[in-house]
Amino acid sequence: MTEYNFAYLDEQTKRMIRRAILKGVAVPGYQVPFASREMPMPYGWGTGGVQVSAACLTPEDTLKVIDQGADDTTNAVSIRKFFEKTAQIAVTEKTAEATIIQTRHRIPETLLTEDQILVYQVPMPEPLRFLEPSEVETRKMHALQDYGLMHVKLYEDIARHGEIATAYSYPVMVEDRYVMSPSPIPKFDNPKLESAALQLFGAGREQRIYAVPPHTRVVSLDFEDHPFDPSKAPHPCALCGAEDTYLDEVITDDAGTRMFVCSDTDYCGARCEAAA
Amino acid sequence: MTPLLEVQALTKGYGGRIGCSDVSFTLYPGEVLGIVGESGSGKSTLLNCLAGHLAPDAGRVIFDTRADGPRDVLAMSEPERRMLGRTDWAFVHQNPRDGLRMRISAGGNVGERLMAVGARHYGDIRAQAVDWLGRVEISDSRIDDRPSAFSGGMQQRLQIARNLVTGPRLVFMDEPTGGLDVSVQARLLDLIRGLVRRMGLSAIVVTHDLAVVRLLADRLMVMKDGRVIETGLTDQVLDDPQAAYTQLLVSSVLQV
Amino acid sequence: MYVAVKGGERAIDNAHAWLAEDRRGDLGVAELSIAQIREQLALAVGRVMAEGSLYDPDLAALAIKQARGDLIEAVFLIRAYRTTLPRFGASHPVDTAAMACDRRISATFKDLPGGQILGPTFDYTHRLLDFTLAAEGLAPPAPPMAPPAEGDLPHVTGFLAREDLIQSNPDGPDTPRDLTREPLDFPADRPLRLQALARGDEGFVLSMAYSTQRGYGKNHPFVGELRIGSVPVEMDIPELGFAIELGEMVLTECETVNQFTGSKTEPPQFTRGYGLVFGQSERKAISMALVDRALRWEELGEDNEGAPAQDVEFVLYHADNVQATGFLEHIKLPHYVDFQSELELIRRLRAEAMQATRQEAAE
């Protein structure tokens, strides 16, 4: 493809996105408005993440794209192909080899390093949205750190269910200042938000970019007597035997027999290979 | 003694129409001030200006803050004013729907102010909610019910509990017994009077009901057409009104 | 043995090939040309240009062909293409008074300078299926068109304005904010709202407008004027130092005359709603004018009734069909991970609840 600029977006647009990213890095957890462009994939399918990745990519980068932890899910394949076509960059499925990882709904099991950037696709950047529908009002709440309502929601959960009934998109407090949505990752992944890697979050349809710089304090909201619990299914992986990974539940026959396997396919594959 | 609240020449207009004009008064700790007048007299405008819900055109509202002593509330930043609104101040609306979150349980309603100022222990928050529900005579078995399932009187008592849980020093009340049955009104007034006495609260109560101020207020301010036309000790104003309008107001009640 | 969900790449390639085959349909039937779509499905082409925010009938026709007639998909194709186009500059505002009108009607005055021009409209056709079209028979030729009126056709609202009976349009900023280059931000001024409505989904804008007619934010509109025709587009060329005509575009414009307001200081006046869209779409232009008027409640000192069409955040955040359809359809993407975490939560909550019940029974 020669008719498009490197990584699809024109340089002006990339500069605009990079300014938003820098602002996000400077104010961890703050949602920076940016003029999201229409991309050749639908809104809700990773347009925010794709724009952030496009603004970060250099010709020397190696890209990994995962969806639900796997490199081979259709949308991950589609986005990886898009960048192979428009940026001719190297791609990989190995977490450790990638310099930029675009993800939807998971953080890789392998610990990331300071040389890596993790780009999240974010459908709903506003953690307060379901408590307060107006954007004008939620921006005011962030500005004034008016977060009482967020804890009221958690209180109601415990009063009704005996525990905080949020299993994914579990809200966090970044650097004691901004309440942030970690995107719909399972709460199991929340502890990994304190990372050596730069984490960037892109919401295309909602026109927001935010960031968690390396080694930033990220605390999952909870109560002292109901502490945050990053639980997962109480099984080991049926393929690699790992006991500390997030698992997919797979129904294997008509009788409803189930098995649990790592959601991170690269991590699982590497462990299986090492064992063989 | 430093006044808790000192209001100087407060004025608010709506276009060409006067809301309230040149109102000044002083409120001392532990004092309850009643503001009476017919609808349109400017008493609700005044209350909303004092509480920071409306921006007045001119004047000063000086509050004796815990940390920094007397400060002009109108010159505070929005975060400071909001903080005041959920700690030292409380506002009881006439319609409990305006002061409660109807889709959140009674316990959550009471706990919200605690959580807004940093409470992070579920058990403690719940214990305080139980305690406060008790103080406003709501059974603790109703703690997880939503206010929409409560009667009007219960909703109003829940609103009071929600407001008082953080131990405010100044309570604004806008017709707190309006819209309730007479028997329910009496019980609620009794409850408010008890709480105000026990907690040593200062309060500003706006109402058109002279029975309410006779029971609650130490001092009285009568308003008409946006201006204060008479002030004094409650009994003194009600028993020996000076202004012609106050005489009319008092006599019209006594005839009932 | 467990078979991992592999082969995403091959599946995508195959799906694309199948789609291409279905797009073409039966090879025994002649293939549509872009020109056929542009000429014979002109209203669809107009809608795709309007909501795609790109005036190019050939590209819109191509998008409709590629999208197999799915107009929202076609709008999406146009928008994605638009992203990649460099921007040379901005044209002068078009002058709709200088429009060469194919159609121009007023519901407020029976006759007016320039006259009523009925033009090519479905309005008074009987909606009977015309089987001669199925037989590919040619419709009888229309009588020759009268030569277009010489000179400008003045706007109806201008006559009302001369008597001060209608509010003038308040001055906006010289250069309005550009919704396609800046994030949507509130408060949204009227130029920004009109942009969002102009590229908003026809169905959504129609329903919002309809809701105002049924009482949710009623504003008593009259169609002061509706005109359809072509206008020249001019642009300053810095190297030349003067403006040149780039071409013409077909526009539909609607100005509504709405219920009057007045106060002690101002005598009563009619108010305005405005709609302007690419191509020929009266439904969209009228809807837009009604919604525009409903959104002006604050500026005109009206009550907020809590009607959806008065809520600027609601209207602007939900008008865009490319955003809406993308987000709606994304829920068919895999959500294994989120669902798995919900599954575990509900199993645990149920187990706890059942254990509590058993304990109670035992006691």
Side-chain angles (χ1 to χ4, degrees), chain C residues 213-261:
Chain C
Q213 289 185 292
R214 290 195 64 257
Y216 293 86
K218 216 173 181 67
N219 53 45
H220 308 281
F222 295 97
V223 173
E225 181 169 352
L226 179 74
R227 53 170 70 192
I228 303 173
S230 51
V231 293
V233 180
E234 293 183 344
M235 182 172 158
D236 277 328
I237 306 297
E239 289 81 351
L240 297 179
F242 53 86
I244 61 160
E245 190 176 319
L246 300 176
E248 290 192 333
M249 54 169 54
V250 174
L251 295 175
T252 304
E253 182 186 55
C254 174
E255 287 189 288
T256 55
V257 176
N258 297 67
Q259 74 184 29
F260 51 83
T261 59

Side-chain angles (χ1 to χ4, degrees), chain A residues 8 35 38 41-45 68 72 74 81 104-105 134-136 163 184 186 205 207 233 246 249 259, chain C residues 2 6-7 12-13 76 79-80 83-84 181 184 313 326-327 330 334-338 340-341 344 347-348:
Chain A
Y8 189 75
E38 256 103 8
M41 56 276 292
Y43 284 114
W45 300 52
Q68 315 292 305
D72 203 36
T74 42
K81 278 181 125 178
R104 178 169 171 265
H105 297 192
S134 160
E135 174 70 13
V136 172
E163 64 177 274
R205 190 178 42 79
Q207 307 187 316
Y246 195 75
E249 181 173 334
M259 67 186 292
Chain C
Y2 163 62
K6 284 275 174 190
I12 289 178
D13 288 343
F76 181 16
R79 291 263 193 99
T83 293
T84 66
R181 283 292 184 274
L184 179 57
E313 280 199 48
F327 195 59
H330 107 282
H335 282 81
Y336 319 134
V337 166
D338 310 343
Q340 183 65 36
S341 55
E344 281 157 24
R347 278 190 186 128
R348 197 168 59 244

Side-chain angles (χ1 to χ4, degrees), chain C residues 127-154:
Chain C
R127 268 60 168 205
L128 303 171
L129 277 177
D130 182 353
F131 294 104
T132 58
L133 288 174
E136 294 179 20
L138 286 174
M145 209 163 89
E150 285 294 312
D152 289 359
L153 275 183

